[in-house]
Amino acid sequence: TAMESYRGFLALLMSALPVGFLSVLFTLIWVLHYREGLGWDGSSLEFNWHPVLAVTGFIFIQGIAIIVYRLPWTWKCSKFLMKSIHAGLNGVATILAVIALVAVFDFHNAQSIPNMYSLHSWVGLAAVICYVLQLFTGFFIFLLPWAPPSLREFVMPIHVYFGLFLFGTTIATALMGVTEKLFFVLKDPAYHSFPPEGVFVNTLGLLILLFGALIFWIVSRPQWKRPKEPDSTLLKSNCDTTERMEGDIAISSGNNTDRSDSELNNEGATRKRNSGLDDVGQRSTM
């Protein structure tokens, strides 16, 4: 039933939000407790901004932006308002992702470390570029009222697919990144000996993966999709049909009125003829 479906949605939502928040919290604990904190001086402290901002923006905030249309209590809000919130969340995620990129490039350049040699860096940079293109495409086609409905209808399934694809790509990139970082920094004790930092960061990876799974489940359920707003074409068709019906009624009423007037005129003429015959009869009798 509808109530059971609503309860199921709330249960998943109340599971996804804490898991996403824990992912951000675990990332902060990792860099503050195990990796000496945050800074912006070209050292490893500056690099630590990279995982914090990437997990916060590219995973947690992006996940919320994906399911914002599914929140039942927002279905009474205007579609434009929800589009603005969706675009705003994705915009914040983009800004955080770009700062995360600046931090890692600045760190590599300061430490004379080569850039863009790992699979993590390739996939990550491609994801950021595609995410920016996705954001601008959605802004100009869906948020601004310039694009014709036919173009929006054509682009919508592509926009939805690439949004989910990029979300999955960022999760995969984050998992590659934290594993790569652990191999670099865990030497004594080594990563394969299950040090506390390695176990903690592995748990972070599981939280990120679970958050992504919950978001994908929520967004893939058709019963939790935002109901479509009335189509303006359908409304126009209904209005035209109503106008035609009113016109037919008016014409029918006019025809009935004309027929009634004709019948009254015929009845009056008959009465006059009968009256004339009576007068003639009376005169002949006299």
Side-chain angles (χ1 to χ4, degrees):
T1 62
M3 183 57 67
E4 292 175 351
S5 178
Y6 180 71
R7 290 174 180 173
F9 175 83
L10 287 182
L12 279 176
L13 181 64
M14 292 300 104
S15 300
L17 292 179
V19 171
F21 181 76
L22 282 176
S23 300
V24 176
L25 183 62
F26 268 52
T27 308
L28 282 171
I29 294 174
W30 176 32
V31 300
L32 294 176
H33 179 68
Y34 292 102
R35 295 289 102 209
E36 301 176 350
L38 297 166
W40 201 271
D41 53 3
S43 67
S44 59
L45 301 183
E46 182 174 352
F47 174 86
N48 290 342
W49 281 108
H50 181 71
V52 171
L53 297 177
V55 172
T56 302
F58 236 20
I59 295 177
F60 182 62
I61 295 180
Q62 184 185 177
I64 301 303
I66 288 175
I67 64 172
V68 71
Y69 287 113
R70 301 291 175 126
L71 305 178
W73 50 86
T74 66
W75 290 350
K76 293 183 179 179
C77 300
S78 68
K79 192 66 176 291
F80 178 77
L81 174 62
M82 300 314 300
K83 286 181 180 179
S84 301
I85 294 175
H86 178 74
L89 290 173
N90 282 300
V92 172
T94 302
I95 293 173
L96 296 182
V98 170
I99 297 175
L101 281 182
V102 173
V104 71
F105 276 106
D106 195 27
F107 165 72
H108 281 186
N109 294 334
Q111 301 297 322
S112 299
I113 300 174
N115 292 307
M116 301 301 300
Y117 65 88
S118 66
L119 178 62
H120 166 73
S121 61
W122 290 8
V123 178
L125 182 60
V128 173
I129 294 173
C130 292
Y131 197 79
V132 173
L133 294 176
Q134 173 88 340
L135 178 65
F136 279 100
T137 300
F139 180 79
F140 285 106
I141 293 182
F142 297 107
L143 190 61
L144 298 181
W146 299 341
S150 58
L151 178 61
R152 294 186 179 186
E153 185 178 358
F154 174 77
V155 175
M156 175 59 73
I158 303 174
H159 182 75
V160 172
Y161 170 79
F162 272 99
L164 296 176
F165 173 75
L166 288 174
F167 182 60
T169 302
T170 56
I171 292 175
T173 305
L175 297 180
M176 287 189 291
V178 296
T179 304
E180 181 182 283
K181 182 65 175 178
L182 290 177
F183 276 118
F184 288 158
V185 300
L186 294 181
K187 301 299 183 181
D188 187 21
Y191 187 20
H192 61 77
S193 62
F194 293 94
E197 182 179 357
V199 174
F200 184 84
V201 177
N202 285 350
T203 306
L204 166 62
L206 291 177
L207 288 173
I208 292 174
L209 188 62
L210 179 58
F211 177 71
L214 291 172
I215 295 298
F216 273 114
W217 183 261
I218 291 174
V219 79
S220 62
R221 299 301 93 191
Q223 65 269 27
W224 297 334
K225 188 176 181 180
R226 177 185 173 95
K228 289 185 177 181
E229 295 182 352
D231 190 0
S232 59
T233 304
L234 180 60
L235 289 176
K236 183 179 179 181
S237 176
N238 291 338
C239 291
D240 292 342
T241 303
T242 303
E243 291 176 357
R244 286 197 300 269
M245 291 176 63
E246 292 176 350
D248 293 342
I249 293 173
I251 293 172
S252 177
S253 299
N255 292 337
N256 291 336
T257 303
D258 293 340
R259 285 196 298 268
S260 299
D261 293 341
S262 178
E263 291 174 356
L264 289 174
N265 292 333
N266 292 336
E267 184 178 355
T270 303
R271 289 179 178 176
K272 288 180 180 179
R273 286 196 300 269
N274 293 335
S275 176
L277 292 175
D278 291 341
D279 291 341
V280 172
Q282 289 177 3
R283 284 195 299 270
S284 62
T285 304
M286 293 175 61

XYZ file of all heavy atoms in Angstrom, residues 235-281:
349
model
N -3.936 20.062 -20.602
C -4.845 21.069 -20.073
C -5.456 21.883 -21.198
O -6.643 22.188 -21.185
C -4.086 21.991 -19.112
C -3.675 21.373 -17.763
C -2.856 22.375 -16.958
C -4.905 20.940 -16.970
N -4.648 22.224 -22.189
C -5.174 22.990 -23.319
C -6.208 22.187 -24.070
O -7.241 22.702 -24.483
C -4.024 23.384 -24.239
C -4.465 24.243 -25.412
C -3.281 24.618 -26.272
C -3.731 25.460 -27.454
N -2.593 25.832 -28.322
N -5.965 20.887 -24.250
C -6.916 20.027 -24.936
C -8.229 19.964 -24.180
O -9.305 20.026 -24.758
C -6.317 18.622 -25.099
O -7.260 17.760 -25.682
N -8.120 19.851 -22.834
C -9.330 19.811 -22.027
C -10.095 21.119 -22.130
O -11.323 21.134 -22.204
C -8.974 19.525 -20.565
C -8.462 18.102 -20.380
O -8.748 17.234 -21.207
N -7.718 17.863 -19.306
N -9.348 22.241 -22.137
C -10.019 23.539 -22.253
C -10.721 23.670 -23.599
O -11.841 24.166 -23.682
C -8.991 24.666 -22.083
S -8.324 24.790 -20.409
N -10.040 23.223 -24.674
C -10.664 23.291 -25.993
C -11.912 22.427 -26.055
O -12.923 22.810 -26.637
C -9.667 22.822 -27.053
C -8.503 23.793 -27.203
O -8.668 24.947 -26.754
O -7.458 23.387 -27.745
N -11.848 21.236 -25.439
C -13.013 20.352 -25.435
C -14.168 20.999 -24.693
O -15.320 20.957 -25.124
C -12.655 19.007 -24.772
O -11.552 18.440 -25.486
C -13.833 18.070 -24.790
N -13.855 21.640 -23.553
C -14.902 22.306 -22.774
C -15.526 23.431 -23.570
O -16.749 23.620 -23.579
C -14.303 22.854 -21.470
O -13.699 21.767 -20.768
C -15.376 23.494 -20.615
N -14.665 24.214 -24.268
C -15.202 25.324 -25.063
C -16.110 24.814 -26.180
O -17.151 25.395 -26.469
C -14.051 26.140 -25.631
C -13.277 26.919 -24.572
C -12.085 27.630 -25.174
O -11.866 27.440 -26.390
O -11.395 28.360 -24.454
N -15.685 23.703 -26.807
C -16.517 23.142 -27.874
C -17.861 22.667 -27.327
O -18.910 22.861 -27.949
C -15.774 21.998 -28.562
C -14.656 22.459 -29.473
C -14.242 21.334 -30.415
N -13.775 20.175 -29.691
C -12.510 19.971 -29.368
N -11.597 20.862 -29.682
N -12.149 18.881 -28.731
N -17.831 22.028 -26.157
C -19.078 21.562 -25.553
C -19.994 22.733 -25.230
O -21.208 22.687 -25.465
C -18.776 20.759 -24.280
C -18.096 19.415 -24.551
S -17.670 18.562 -23.024
C -19.302 18.324 -22.337
N -19.388 23.827 -24.680
C -20.219 24.995 -24.364
C -20.801 25.588 -25.638
O -21.959 26.028 -25.672
C -19.367 26.033 -23.621
C -18.959 25.572 -22.216
C -18.036 26.573 -21.551
O -17.582 27.494 -22.269
O -17.775 26.441 -20.347
N -20.004 25.618 -26.725
C -20.509 26.150 -27.991
C -21.639 25.313 -28.541
O -22.636 25.837 -29.043
N -21.482 23.966 -28.434
C -22.544 23.083 -28.914
C -23.822 23.282 -28.120
O -24.922 23.286 -28.667
C -22.098 21.616 -28.806
C -20.962 21.317 -29.780
O -20.786 22.107 -30.734
O -20.255 20.308 -29.558
N -23.663 23.463 -26.796
C -24.849 23.692 -25.966
C -25.527 24.995 -26.349
O -26.760 25.092 -26.436
C -24.454 23.703 -24.478
C -24.006 22.299 -24.063
C -25.601 24.172 -23.604
C -23.429 22.251 -22.649
N -24.694 26.043 -26.598
C -25.283 27.336 -26.982
C -26.012 27.231 -28.314
O -27.109 27.757 -28.480
C -24.178 28.403 -27.059
N -25.393 26.535 -29.283
C -26.048 26.375 -30.587
C -27.321 25.574 -30.444
O -28.365 25.907 -31.033
C -25.083 25.675 -31.561
C -23.906 26.608 -31.864
C -25.793 25.296 -32.845
C -22.812 25.933 -32.660
N -27.257 24.505 -29.620
C -28.452 23.692 -29.409
C -29.560 24.507 -28.765
O -30.718 24.414 -29.131
C -28.095 22.471 -28.552
O -29.236 21.708 -28.278
N -29.162 25.355 -27.786
C -30.167 26.188 -27.126
C -30.766 27.171 -28.113
O -31.970 27.434 -28.120
C -29.522 26.941 -25.953
O -29.010 26.020 -25.008
N -29.895 27.723 -29.000
C -30.414 28.666 -29.987
C -31.373 28.006 -30.946
O -32.407 28.569 -31.305
N -31.049 26.768 -31.377
C -31.948 26.046 -32.270
C -33.273 25.754 -31.605
O -34.334 25.867 -32.206
C -31.292 24.741 -32.733
C -30.098 25.008 -33.642
O -30.011 26.071 -34.263
N -29.180 24.054 -33.709
N -33.195 25.349 -30.318
C -34.438 25.081 -29.596
C -35.275 26.339 -29.472
O -36.496 26.317 -29.589
C -34.124 24.527 -28.201
C -33.519 23.120 -28.276
O -33.742 22.420 -29.263
N -32.768 22.731 -27.257
N -34.598 27.481 -29.251
C -35.328 28.745 -29.129
C -35.988 29.109 -30.446
O -37.142 29.555 -30.497
C -34.372 29.866 -28.694
O -33.757 29.491 -27.465
C -35.102 31.167 -28.514
N -35.250 28.892 -31.570
C -35.818 29.197 -32.875
C -37.016 28.314 -33.160
O -38.037 28.775 -33.686
C -34.757 28.999 -33.961
C -33.640 30.031 -33.837
O -33.887 31.073 -33.193
O -32.540 29.765 -34.372
N -36.876 27.015 -32.794
C -38.011 26.120 -33.026
C -39.204 26.528 -32.180
O -40.354 26.489 -32.619
C -37.589 24.674 -32.710
C -36.695 24.057 -33.768
C -36.649 22.546 -33.609
N -36.095 22.177 -32.335
C -34.787 21.936 -32.128
N -33.935 22.072 -33.114
N -34.359 21.584 -30.936
N -38.979 26.955 -30.946
C -40.087 27.376 -30.083
C -40.766 28.610 -30.646
O -41.991 28.729 -30.671
C -39.558 27.654 -28.668
O -38.999 26.484 -28.110
N -39.958 29.597 -31.139
C -40.556 30.801 -31.721
C -41.374 30.453 -32.960
O -42.455 31.005 -33.176
C -39.435 31.797 -32.098
C -38.729 32.335 -30.858
O -39.320 32.233 -29.763
O -37.591 32.840 -31.002
N -40.864 29.522 -33.781
C -41.593 29.128 -34.983
C -42.916 28.469 -34.631
O -43.951 28.738 -35.239
C -40.735 28.186 -35.821
O -41.432 27.753 -36.956
N -42.874 27.587 -33.613
C -44.112 26.921 -33.206
C -45.125 27.925 -32.672
O -46.332 27.845 -32.942
C -43.783 25.877 -32.144
C -42.995 24.684 -32.694
C -42.557 23.740 -31.587
O -42.811 24.094 -30.407
O -41.964 22.699 -31.885
N -44.640 28.935 -31.916
C -45.564 29.950 -31.386
C -46.176 30.766 -32.528
O -47.373 31.086 -32.524
C -44.814 30.884 -30.425
C -44.409 30.264 -29.068
C -43.552 31.244 -28.272
C -45.660 29.889 -28.272
N -45.361 31.118 -33.538
C -45.885 31.878 -34.676
C -46.923 31.073 -35.437
O -47.970 31.602 -35.839
C -44.743 32.278 -35.611
C -43.808 33.302 -34.955
O -44.238 34.056 -34.081
N -42.536 33.308 -35.380
N -46.663 29.775 -35.643
C -47.629 28.921 -36.342
C -48.928 28.822 -35.555
O -50.037 28.845 -36.126
C -47.045 27.533 -36.566
C -45.889 27.559 -37.574
O -45.825 28.469 -38.404
N -45.015 26.577 -37.491
N -48.801 28.678 -34.243
C -50.019 28.568 -33.410
C -50.828 29.857 -33.461
O -52.066 29.853 -33.526
C -49.609 28.254 -31.964
C -50.799 28.014 -31.040
C -50.363 27.666 -29.637
O -49.132 27.518 -29.401
O -51.234 27.535 -28.767
N -50.129 31.026 -33.472
C -50.843 32.304 -33.544
C -51.563 32.457 -34.866
O -52.703 32.940 -34.936
N -50.925 32.024 -35.966
C -51.572 32.123 -37.274
C -52.788 31.232 -37.345
O -53.824 31.602 -37.911
C -50.572 31.746 -38.374
N -52.715 30.045 -36.759
C -53.864 29.135 -36.764
C -55.028 29.736 -36.007
O -56.193 29.666 -36.425
C -53.464 27.785 -36.141
O -52.355 27.257 -36.871
C -54.622 26.815 -36.162
N -54.714 30.358 -34.866
C -55.774 30.989 -34.080
C -56.437 32.118 -34.865
O -57.659 32.303 -34.824
C -55.208 31.527 -32.770
C -54.835 30.406 -31.786
C -54.270 30.995 -30.521
N -53.948 29.955 -29.565
C -53.359 30.188 -28.389
N -53.046 31.445 -28.069
N -53.114 29.188 -27.582
N -55.638 32.900 -35.619
C -56.221 33.999 -36.394
C -57.148 33.462 -37.477
O -58.215 33.994 -37.741
C -55.113 34.850 -37.012
C -54.363 35.697 -35.996
C -53.286 36.525 -36.679
C -52.543 37.378 -35.670
N -51.481 38.179 -36.316
N -56.712 32.369 -38.161
C -57.563 31.793 -39.200
C -58.877 31.278 -38.606
O -59.968 31.473 -39.168
C -56.811 30.670 -39.916
C -55.723 31.166 -40.857
C -55.290 30.045 -41.809
N -54.778 28.912 -41.067
C -53.494 28.745 -40.747
N -52.613 29.678 -41.083
N -53.099 27.687 -40.088
N -58.804 30.598 -37.488
C -60.030 30.092 -36.844
C -60.953 31.238 -36.440
O -62.181 31.171 -36.587
C -59.684 29.248 -35.621
C -58.965 27.949 -36.015
O -59.134 27.482 -37.148
N -58.218 27.380 -35.084
N -60.343 32.315 -35.948
C -61.160 33.472 -35.553
C -61.837 34.082 -36.768
O -63.008 34.465 -36.735
C -60.268 34.503 -34.858
O -61.002 35.649 -34.542
N -61.135 34.125 -37.903
C -61.728 34.675 -39.120
C -62.864 33.822 -39.618
O -63.895 34.328 -40.061
N -62.719 32.492 -39.573
C -63.784 31.596 -39.996
C -65.011 31.752 -39.112
O -66.151 31.724 -39.584
C -63.288 30.147 -39.976
C -62.216 29.812 -41.036
C -61.722 28.388 -40.816
C -62.796 29.964 -42.444
N -64.798 31.928 -37.796
C -65.935 32.119 -36.877
C -66.690 33.388 -37.231
O -67.945 33.427 -37.233
C -65.436 32.184 -35.433
C -64.917 30.822 -34.969
O -65.271 29.803 -35.595
O -64.143 30.784 -33.962
N -65.954 34.456 -37.564
C -66.632 35.704 -37.918
C -67.458 35.549 -39.192
O -68.593 36.026 -39.297
C -65.584 36.819 -38.122
C -64.931 37.189 -36.789
O -65.495 36.880 -35.745
O -63.812 37.766 -36.840
N -66.892 34.822 -40.153
C -67.629 34.623 -41.416
C -68.889 33.813 -41.160
O -69.974 34.087 -41.671
C -66.737 33.902 -42.444
C -67.536 33.519 -43.665
C -65.562 34.822 -42.846
N -68.791 32.796 -40.296
C -69.949 31.952 -40.001
C -71.048 32.756 -39.312
O -72.237 32.601 -39.588
